[in-house]
Amino acid sequence: MARVICIANQKGGVGKTTTAVNLSAALAVCEKQTLLVDCDPQANATSGMGIDTSNVEKTLYHGMLGRAGAKSLIVESAIKTLKIIPSNLELIGFEVEMISNPDREQRLKKLISELEKAFEFIILDCPPSMSLLTVNALTAADSLLIPLQCEFYALEGLGKLLNTVKRIKRALNPDLNIAGILLTMFDKRTNLSYQVAEEAEKYFKDIVFKTMVPRNIRLSEAPSFGKPILLYDATSAGAQSYFELAKEIMQNKSHNVI
């Protein structure tokens, strides 16, 4: 059975999609059968893997509405062991069309249950909001990975996110745990990055991953070439950090702290 990891934070610009794409690629390069599911209508994970969103016939939208089976949505990537379920702007319509559906929070869980035996890891990339799509991802996941940028106000809002996760665990997904908090955009040149890291470790202790993702130009460039960092520049500091994160994910179990 696959480990289903949801990558979420209601704040934008914290490195969710960067982490989803590059963690998926790193796990796949480590010979783990991996599926990346793009749950964001902006479809940045889809385009970041080199897929033209305008040319995709079936997307997550069709699967979530029951118009296509999960297997028919899967698209190949440049890495043999990494597959993708793409997204596009159509996915915006999901929330409107499902508003009166009694099982609207369970649609993604039901969809990916068809695939759990085929993969070792399923990574869910969420939109930057606590929308119905994010609730679906949290309901479908075994664990939540929270990217936390090393910037001012980074910890603000994290308490709200964890409270929301508690409610989802209580009402929809009692098996949901925390995979860890990932510090992103770490800049060795600034005291602020060290302060945020220190505060995070003080309050959340061993929930914080040892790996920290640096602020890295090559990491920022890779999506515009439609490649994960491991295919764009495998020797960069950004690529190495996601390899290290993949090792931590493979070695560690989730934390039952919510």
Side-chain angles (χ1 to χ4, degrees), residues 44-247:
N44 290 331
T46 301
S47 59
M49 291 300 301
I51 297 166
D52 183 350
T53 58
S54 63
N55 284 340
V56 179
E57 288 184 19
K58 294 179 184 176
T59 67
L60 182 63
Y61 170 78
H62 300 93
M64 296 271 271
L65 265 66
R67 297 176 186 172
K71 289 179 183 176
S72 73
L73 306 175
I74 293 173
V75 175
E76 300 286 328
S77 81
I79 302 170
K80 188 178 179 182
T81 46
L82 175 58
K83 307 291 190 290
I84 304 146
I85 291 182
S87 172
N88 62 20
L89 278 172
E90 275 187 310
L91 192 56
I92 291 173
F94 169 74
E95 303 209 14
V96 177
E97 296 186 50
M98 284 285 116
I99 198 160
S100 60
N101 195 303
D103 73 335
R104 59 187 176 272
E105 297 95 352
Q106 308 280 348
R107 304 295 291 193
L108 182 59
K109 184 180 180 72
K110 183 180 177 183
L111 184 71
I112 64 173
S113 67
E114 302 172 33
L115 303 171
E116 288 187 339
K117 290 181 181 176
F119 295 96
E120 292 168 88
F121 287 93
I122 297 176
I123 307 297
L124 311 176
D125 183 36
C126 293
S129 63
M130 200 46 67
S131 63
L132 181 58
L133 288 163
T134 302
V135 171
N136 261 267
L138 288 166
T139 303
D142 307 317
S143 59
L144 167 65
L145 189 158
I146 305 169
L148 187 74
Q149 83 279 31
C150 293
E151 293 177 357
F152 203 56
Y153 296 134
L155 294 169
E156 191 177 87
L158 194 54
K160 288 180 184 176
L161 174 63
L162 292 175
N163 283 333
T164 301
V165 171
K166 282 179 186 176
R167 288 198 293 272
I168 288 170
K169 180 165 181 165
R170 194 162 54 240
L172 296 166
N173 186 3
D175 298 324
L176 181 63
N177 290 311
I178 298 284
I181 294 170
L182 175 67
L183 296 170
T184 62
M185 305 176 196
F186 186 86
D187 190 340
K188 292 179 181 178
R189 300 167 299 178
T190 68
N191 288 332
L192 183 59
S193 284
Y194 289 98
Q195 287 168 6
V196 172
E198 192 177 309
E199 287 287 300
E201 286 164 7
K202 177 182 173 183
Y203 287 107
F204 299 105
K205 301 182 171 59
D206 60 346
I207 301 174
V208 181
F209 287 108
K210 292 181 176 66
T211 300
M212 291 188 284
V213 179
R215 190 175 286 282
N216 183 253
I217 291 169
R218 303 298 275 172
L219 203 52
S220 303
E221 291 173 346
S224 64
F225 290 88
K227 293 180 178 180
I229 188 63
L230 302 177
L231 297 183
Y232 180 64
D233 186 353
T235 62
S236 68
Q240 295 306 309
S241 67
Y242 279 109
F243 262 126
E244 292 302 315
L245 177 63
K247 288 178 190 173

